[in-house]
Amino acid sequence: MGKRKTQRKNTALLDSDDDSSSISSSSTMRSDRLSVSGTEEVEVNKDSLLDEAVDALYEKRGSTREKALASIIEAFNSNLQHQFVEKKFATLLHQCLNSIKKGSSKEISLASHVIGVLALTVGPGDNAREILEESVTPISQASKSGSESSKIASLLECLAIITFVGGIDPEETEKSMQIMWQLVHPKLGSNVVTVKPSAVVITAVVSAWSFLLTTMDGWRLSPKLWQESIAYLSTLLDKDDRSVRIAAGEALAVIFEMGSLEKFAGETKGPNNGSVSEGNKSKEGFSHIQGLRGKILNQVRGLSVEAGGKGSAKKDLNNQRNLFKDVLEFLEDGYCPETSLKIGGDSLQTSTWSQLIQLNFLRHFLGGGFTKHMQENEFLQDVFGFTPKRRNLLGSEHISNSQKRMYKSPNSVISKARTQMLNKQRMQSKDRNIGHFAVNVGEDDS
């Protein structure tokens, strides 16, 4: 993958009013002066509030459970609750699953978010595997019941996150991707009544699917699946909703980066074992892919200079133009967009579409907790190769004894998570061939 001769680098700054956007914030400086006993007293108080919130999940009144879930999310956004999770992991997980099975749409959305943040907090390991195994079925069932778009979107985000963290085998990731895909492409039966998915649901499906696709070896997936997904994504580029078009553009960029369209074209053009009928099918398949490639290129070119009309918000229009300019440059010249995100006093940089899609998805999911997680969550730091210039935690005066043990011990949640994540990345990178595909504009696009 080439680099631009003149790099157009996008620098994204987190909101300055984010309390955790700077490592050297006033609250952090004040905490430096706290004694060890004072810090541990604060920790105990926070744990007691979390304990009360978890206890409230047993209450019969739905509004009480919703309030408790919201407070848990706030607590996990402001601090990585490793110590609390070690004590209450199973209880929190199963109460959230109960909320997904029996709660209102709002409660289901909140519980889904808690489960996702819980997975990111524990990192890869036995707990993350348990979250995935226990949650897939309830999430799948809940996503098919009712038509509340925000609820379905929250469930899909949760499924994507827990698969991203806890999925080790490619089959597990494929299963989650298929659950998502069926919401927009259901398997029809004689007595199945389909409900047209809303733009919110389509965007959520495509975004979550793309996020998991970045972790896959695209060469494993069947040509039939690629043909179906690429053709569908191409139709989404013509939809009226701008968020749908943007999500589809990002998904296609990841597919192109993985070389999967090239793979499919190559397979359809491959040997036919002497059969005339098979040879005709092969030629037809190759011709179809060539035509689809040319269609997508023209769609991308048009969206990169769209004057408006579809959609309304100027900001969204600019986002669309910028995205599709980057996609077009990638398709024509093979250049990936480079981005730099300011986190406190450090910069997190991306140079591939897969990294950018992962970053955007996690930023959206964590919201106000993203900065805190990137500064302290070693699993996410390993994902992006990000090393913040932080104080030496073990030498810091205000770190608690339990936290010191957590960071020092090779058997800690953090150490195990880091080891398993690195092992997973090594396994995935063995056969993966990323970053070599660019559409040859000089070829026949018809």
Side-chain angles (χ1 to χ4, degrees), residues 1-2 254 256-259 330 334 336 352 432-438:
M1 187 54 55
V254 173
F256 294 147
E257 182 175 67
M258 297 176 77
F330 178 62
C336 289
T352 68
R432 191 169 180 182
N433 189 357
I434 293 180
H436 68 281
F437 178 74

Side-chain angles (χ1 to χ4, degrees), residues 128-136 159 162-163 166-167 172 176:
R129 302 253 338 128
E130 181 179 345
I131 292 174
L132 180 60
E133 291 168 2
E134 296 286 334
S135 304
V136 168
L159 180 59
I162 64 176
T163 305
E172 294 172 322
S176 293

